[in-house]
Amino acid sequence: MSLRQQNKRQARINILAAADKLIREKGIDSATTREIAQLARVSYQTLYNYFPNKVDIAHGFVESEMAAWADAADNVTKHYAGDLIDSLLQLIQVNLDLIERMGHELIAYITIETIKQGAANSVFTTATRTAHEHYYALLNLAQGMGHLHKSLDLHLMAHTLFNLTDYAMLRYFIEPIEDGQFLTSQRELFSLVITPYLVNENP
């Protein structure tokens, strides 16, 4: 990596670090891009070149967290030991951990602004595709290990589970509840959907 590339990379890191500090202190609506540039010790034009607005800064946070999020979800799949519902809940816990790291307000802000723009954002498109793949991977493992009926349409079930979770996560932001309560309600929902297809439940 050249010195110029290193400087650009460091400037981006500094901007995101400064934004994180200000957003946590003041809230995303109150923190201004000029304040972020000042704290990051870069010119306003430099900040604008990286992140034209606060929505782009928020997306920058998501991008910086995506690798860790994907690795954690991959880890759930790799360590599948036979309890499908428990593994599905572990995937949800990975999402909750991401929210805790980034902050409820910031995630809600990104979601609302993305909806306002009326266009799919590449970060969320990637996240959606990856999340769906994790559901399918778990179902495929469960079926391959004889835990799910072979007649089950894995793609349809993965799509169903993802959409149920996606809807639940949206409600989680609108009507915040404790994580434990949220996971309990999801366990009940997953049990209703999955149990009829578990081989050990339907000999």
Side-chain angles (χ1 to χ4, degrees):
M1 186 181 292
S2 68
L3 180 59
R4 185 168 182 271
Q5 289 174 319
Q6 291 178 38
N7 290 337
K8 289 178 67 175
R9 181 175 181 273
Q10 189 59 52
R12 190 178 191 278
I13 291 172
N14 291 345
I15 291 168
L16 289 177
D20 182 49
K21 186 175 187 301
L22 283 174
I23 288 170
R24 291 184 187 279
E25 289 178 354
K26 305 178 66 172
I28 193 162
D29 290 326
S30 298
T32 68
T33 51
R34 291 193 180 278
E35 289 175 323
I36 293 170
Q38 184 177 10
L39 185 60
R41 296 184 178 181
V42 299
S43 70
Y44 182 72
Q45 184 59 49
T46 297
L47 181 143
Y48 183 84
N49 289 340
Y50 287 97
F51 307 105
N53 52 55
K54 282 195 289 187
V55 176
D56 290 318
I57 291 175
H59 286 153
F61 282 119
V62 175
E63 290 175 348
S64 67
E65 290 285 350
M66 285 303 295
W69 170 79
D71 286 345
D74 285 341
N75 195 49
V76 172
T77 304
K78 290 175 183 176
H79 291 86
Y80 173 71
D83 190 331
L84 179 58
I85 293 174
D86 185 64
S87 293
L88 289 168
L89 290 173
Q90 288 179 43
L91 286 181
I92 292 181
Q93 185 62 60
V94 169
N95 293 338
L96 297 178
D97 291 343
L98 173 66
I99 293 169
E100 183 178 356
R101 288 196 305 273
M102 294 189 60
H104 190 284
E105 180 189 4
L106 183 58
I107 295 287
Y109 175 83
I110 296 170
T111 303
I112 291 170
E113 289 301 320
T114 299
I115 293 172
K116 282 182 182 178
Q117 291 173 9
N121 179 273
S122 59
V123 174
F124 284 95
T125 301
T126 300
T128 297
R129 183 173 62 251
T130 303
H132 191 280
E133 288 171 354
H134 285 128
Y135 281 105
Y136 179 82
L138 274 178
L139 292 170
N140 191 45
L141 277 172
Q143 192 176 65
M145 294 171 69
H147 302 152
L148 283 173
H149 285 297
K150 291 184 178 180
S151 61
L152 177 63
D153 185 327
L154 299 184
H155 287 287
L156 179 59
M157 179 58 77
H159 182 73
T160 300
L161 293 173
F162 172 80
N163 281 287
L164 287 172
T165 302
D166 192 46
Y167 175 73
M169 293 301 296
L170 285 174
R171 291 197 62 185
Y172 175 80
F173 284 109
I174 297 170
E175 303 170 358
I177 61 174
E178 293 183 359
D179 288 0
Q181 184 180 351
F182 179 70
L183 288 168
T184 297
S185 66
Q186 287 304 107
R187 179 181 289 278
E188 293 172 353
L189 182 60
F190 286 156
S191 294
L192 286 172
V193 176
I194 292 290
T195 299
Y197 301 98
L198 292 175
V199 171
N200 61 339
E201 294 291 335
N202 295 276

